[in-house]
Amino acid sequence: LHDPLQTVLTGAYRIQRFPDDVARHCESARLMERAALHCSTIVQSLLSYTRRSASAREAVDLNEVVDRSLAQLRHVLEQDGIGVHVERGPIPRVDGSASELCTAVTNLVMHARDALLSPAAGGRRPTIRIATARAADGVGLVVSDNGPGMPVDIGRTFDPLSAARQIGATTGLRLTVVREIVER
């Protein structure tokens, strides 16, 4: 979905042009739904990126944040045929904003989803793995996928404009949002 709004417009046009073709309507509706979700994640990423004030900080259970993020994305991941494997470690609460951390986890999962849906992903069953564990200096969260991997030159990965041009419309922005949330 490189241009999700165009997908929505094309679907609406197809429905108007072929009013009696129910099979075509179902296909158009499916494509429009995916495109609308894509637009929603773009808007959410932009909103998160532009909000500079930190949300209320509290003691947050990162495992609960992972569960909440996946609950919001489960339908999309299932629809795309992406499996999810979660390993919840016994971890202490972290100081942060539950909503911002949910945004960070959601953006990481959607980044992995985009990688798995790319043509370079290959023929294997797409899977996202999420793990939480104690780390030497606090808590660790790993979101990984079995997609094609990051480009060798990842020096500008967190530059929203550079990365977006290289690998997809929202990829760079998503990672920039994650970095800013984690730094806060």
Side-chain angles (χ1 to χ4, degrees):
L1 296 175
H2 293 296
D3 186 352
L5 290 178
Q6 187 59 49
T7 301
V8 172
L9 291 171
T10 300
Y13 172 75
R14 287 174 65 185
I15 290 170
Q16 291 173 10
R17 185 162 182 227
F18 305 101
D20 299 325
D21 192 342
V22 174
R24 187 172 287 186
H25 292 338
C26 289
E27 175 65 13
S28 292
R30 186 183 67 74
L31 293 171
M32 292 166 68
E33 177 185 28
R34 289 183 67 195
L37 178 67
H38 190 71
C39 287
S40 175
T41 60
I42 291 170
V43 168
Q44 290 304 314
S45 292
L46 287 170
L47 290 173
S48 295
Y49 184 70
T50 58
R51 279 187 215 126
R52 298 293 183 187
S53 62
S55 298
R57 298 180 67 79
E58 58 190 333
V60 178
D61 182 333
L62 195 55
N63 286 324
E64 287 178 15
V65 167
V66 168
D67 291 342
R68 192 169 86 188
S69 297
L70 287 176
Q72 294 172 359
L73 299 172
R74 189 158 320 278
H75 174 71
V76 174
L77 297 172
E78 287 174 359
Q79 187 177 29
D80 291 331
I82 297 173
V84 178
H85 178 71
V86 181
E87 297 172 20
R88 292 170 194 83
I91 56 175
R93 291 179 175 270
V94 297
D95 181 42
S97 161
S99 67
E100 282 188 345
L101 289 170
C102 188
T103 296
V105 171
T106 298
N107 281 329
L108 289 170
V109 171
M110 291 302 289
H111 175 76
R113 173 192 169 266
D114 289 349
L116 292 169
L117 295 179
S118 76
R124 59 195 166 270
R125 182 175 193 276
T127 304
I128 295 173
R129 180 181 164 270
I130 303 170
T132 58
R134 281 190 183 269
D137 57 348
V139 172
L141 169 74
V142 175
V143 177
S144 60
D145 61 73
N146 63 343
M150 297 286 283
V152 175
D153 179 21
I154 61 170
R156 296 185 68 189
T157 298
F158 295 104
D159 177 348
L161 299 178
S162 170
R165 276 196 299 275
Q166 290 175 7
I167 42 184
T170 59
T171 301
L173 184 57
R174 283 188 188 131
L175 294 178
T176 300
V177 168
V178 170
R179 181 188 65 199
E180 289 194 3
I181 290 170
V182 171
E183 286 175 350
R184 276 196 295 271

